[in-house]
Amino acid sequence: MKASIQRICVLMAISISSVAAFVPQYIISPTFRVKQDAVRSSVALEASKNKEKIASRTKWAESRGYGESSEGSSEGGARKAPKLIIAGAPASGKGTQCEIIKEKFGVVHLSTGDMLRAAVAAETEVGKIAKDFMDSGKLVPDDVIIGVVKDRLSESDCVECGWLLDGFPRTPAQAEALAEAGVSADCFIFLNVPDDVLVERVVGRRTDPVTGKIYHMTFSPPDDDEVLARLEQRSDDTEEKVKVRLEQFHANVDAVKGSYTDIAVEVDGTQKPKDVSAAIMSAVEAVLA
């Protein structure tokens, strides 16, 4: 009897050991495989982030009838991606209009400062050259800036969706170099605002150091006395300094405009923002039609 019980116990122990050895192969291993798949998926998603962003922007632009044109396309096909330049003096309202243009046409909004910083961060060839000048406190030469701009405009989002160069080129030399690099625009938009109006706009500007919001003491002062008390004026937003900046602007802008006579559109920047925007939209639509 005892011998029989011992045999049963031995058999049960063997069975339990077999099951214990068997379980990890089907429960632990699949879990490990799931974790591996999750890691691979995460890497793949990170690698495709830029492609998704570009695809989203392209889809947005195509839904509004914009996209890279090709020879032989039908009349009903997508119009070519807009290539725009906008120029205006400080306080001309250029920043506001850039946001509206970007929203309307789905273009990539580009400023030289942003492009330089991006090229340096990406460690492109021209980015490395620009970094050397920036680190030494020197101005980045025109040929380096043109290289940065040209590289950026050749990226797929700019090619597929179009672009808006904000405040560039600033000098005749930059305009000439841009043309020699093979970069051409469809429309050059100039916001025309008299100097006395610009001075009034600049001198009245104040910034809330807490929220970063910009107010104007004449046109849009804050309603809150507490906010009003903490407003700050930028050190270069004085009449004397803005006049110097305007002199520099006028010294170059006429020559720059001369480089784009055939595609230039001058808009009265003293109008209400919505009226300025309407004039810009009408001009750009006519060029792209």
Side-chain angles (χ1 to χ4, degrees):
M1 183 68 172
K2 289 183 179 180
S4 297
I5 292 173
Q6 287 177 341
R7 281 196 298 272
I8 292 171
C9 290
V10 170
L11 289 172
M12 289 177 65
I14 293 172
S15 298
I16 291 170
S17 298
S18 300
V19 171
F22 187 76
V23 169
Q25 298 178 25
Y26 287 87
I27 295 180
I28 297 175
S29 295
T31 303
F32 180 69
R33 285 197 297 272
V34 168
K35 288 182 179 179
Q36 283 185 315
D37 291 341
V39 171
R40 283 194 292 267
S41 297
S42 177
V43 172
L45 284 172
E46 182 65 25
S48 65
K49 186 181 294 182
N50 288 336
K51 290 184 179 179
E52 290 176 356
K53 188 182 294 184
I54 292 170
S56 176
R57 184 184 287 273
T58 302
K59 184 177 180 181
W60 188 98
E62 288 176 348
S63 70
R64 285 160 172 75
Y66 299 98
E68 187 179 13
S69 62
S70 58
E71 294 184 8
S73 62
S74 63
E75 287 186 18
R79 289 174 286 184
K80 65 180 180 179
K83 295 181 290 184
L84 312 171
I85 299 173
I86 187 168
S92 62
K94 183 162 59 67
T96 298
Q97 295 306 320
C98 283
E99 289 301 313
I100 296 172
I101 293 170
K102 182 174 69 173
E103 173 63 24
K104 168 65 177 178
F105 297 108
V107 293
V108 182
H109 178 206
L110 302 168
S111 69
T112 50
D114 289 341
M115 285 186 280
L116 278 171
R117 285 187 289 272
V120 170
E123 298 185 342
T124 64
E125 288 304 314
V126 288
K128 292 176 182 176
I129 297 172
K131 187 177 186 299
D132 290 338
F133 285 98
M134 294 164 72
D135 287 348
S136 61
K138 298 177 182 178
L139 291 174
V140 180
D142 281 351
D143 60 335
V144 177
I145 294 177
I146 293 298
V148 170
V149 172
K150 186 177 180 181
D151 283 356
R152 182 66 184 91
L153 297 185
S154 67
E155 292 183 23
S156 57
D157 57 344
C158 290
V159 173
E160 295 172 7
C161 304
W163 42 262
L164 171 64
L165 279 178
D166 180 355
F168 187 86
R170 284 189 173 89
T171 66
Q174 289 176 345
E176 184 178 348
L178 205 60
E180 290 175 353
V183 177
S184 61
D186 299 314
C187 188
F188 177 90
I189 304 159
F190 176 67
L191 299 180
N192 188 13
V193 182
D195 282 4
D196 58 335
V197 176
L198 293 169
V199 170
E200 182 182 14
R201 288 181 179 180
V202 171
V203 172
R205 287 193 305 208
R206 299 291 187 277
T207 303
D208 182 349
V210 175
T211 64
K213 184 175 180 180
I214 297 175
Y215 295 91
H216 194 282
M217 301 308 292
T218 302
F219 307 124
S220 57
D223 297 325
D224 191 319
D225 289 339
E226 184 179 345
V227 173
L228 180 62
R230 69 179 183 236
L231 293 183
E232 297 176 348
Q233 183 180 31
R234 273 175 42 176
S235 60
D236 59 346
D237 276 356
T238 62
E239 184 170 351
E240 295 77 15
K241 291 185 178 180
V242 73
K243 283 183 176 180
V244 172
R245 286 154 64 193
L246 288 174
E247 287 176 5
Q248 294 172 342
F249 174 78
H250 290 306
N252 291 302
V253 70
D254 287 337
V256 172
K257 285 165 62 180
S259 301
Y260 300 101
T261 304
D262 295 340
I263 60 170
V265 174
E266 189 165 308
V267 178
D268 180 3
T270 63
Q271 305 175 87
K272 293 180 179 179
K274 66 176 183 179
D275 295 327
V276 173
S277 176
I280 292 174
M281 296 306 140
S282 177
V284 174
E285 291 281 7
V287 169
L288 299 176

